[in-house]
Amino acid sequence: MSKKSKRKIVHQGKVFYWYVNSDYDDEGRIKVHILSEDKKFIVAYEIGQVSKQKKSPFLVVMGKEFVGFSGDRMGYIRVQTPPIWDDLSATPSLVGKIIDWCYSEKKEIVLVNWKGELI
């Protein structure tokens, strides 16, 4: 994994890297991508879902490590998240909150489609 243009954060005793970019495949939406050093944990979260769009936010799980899922699965999975984050900009604090939520055992997992609609 290239560490160029990525910020490092140590959280819960693990090393993670995060970066922000425009996703041109998704209408240029700004997303924060978070991945563990071993690449087992990979998620992406669209910035501004709560603060700008006032909608129920979701994140995309791309890695194999996510508390609440068991076994191997193929492809990306979109998970609705509780609207508790101040997500106006990507900050180390937001990244930490996302990591905490992903590793929490006390969360409801609600699958949504690519638009964030319940499936």
Side-chain angles (χ1 to χ4, degrees), residues 34 59 65 72 90-91 101 104 107:
I34 308 166
L59 62 83
E65 189 174 279
D72 291 336
T91 63
W101 185 82
S104 169
K107 67 176 174 290

Side-chain angles (χ1 to χ4, degrees), residues 28-109:
R29 294 187 171 123
I30 306 296
K31 295 186 179 177
V32 59
H33 299 263
I34 308 166
L35 56 152
S36 61
E37 194 166 43
D38 62 8
K39 295 184 190 174
K40 290 181 180 177
F41 175 85
I42 306 171
V43 297
Y45 179 80
E46 180 185 333
I47 298 299
Q49 291 181 75
V50 175
S51 58
K52 290 182 183 177
Q53 300 173 26
K54 308 287 189 224
K55 65 181 185 179
S56 215
F58 66 93
L59 62 83
V60 180
V61 179
M62 296 171 274
K64 293 187 180 280
E65 189 174 279
F66 185 85
V67 173
F69 289 135
S70 59
D72 291 336
R73 59 190 201 298
M74 300 296 291
Y76 296 173
I77 296 179
R78 290 159 182 84
V79 180
Q80 189 171 357
T81 61
I84 55 172
W85 302 323
D86 176 11
D87 68 351
L88 188 56
S89 62
T91 63
S93 174
L94 175 62
V95 170
K97 288 176 184 177
I98 292 170
I99 293 169
D100 285 343
W101 185 82
C102 290
Y103 281 96
S104 169
E105 293 183 16
K106 298 177 183 177
K107 67 176 174 290
E108 181 182 3
I109 296 175

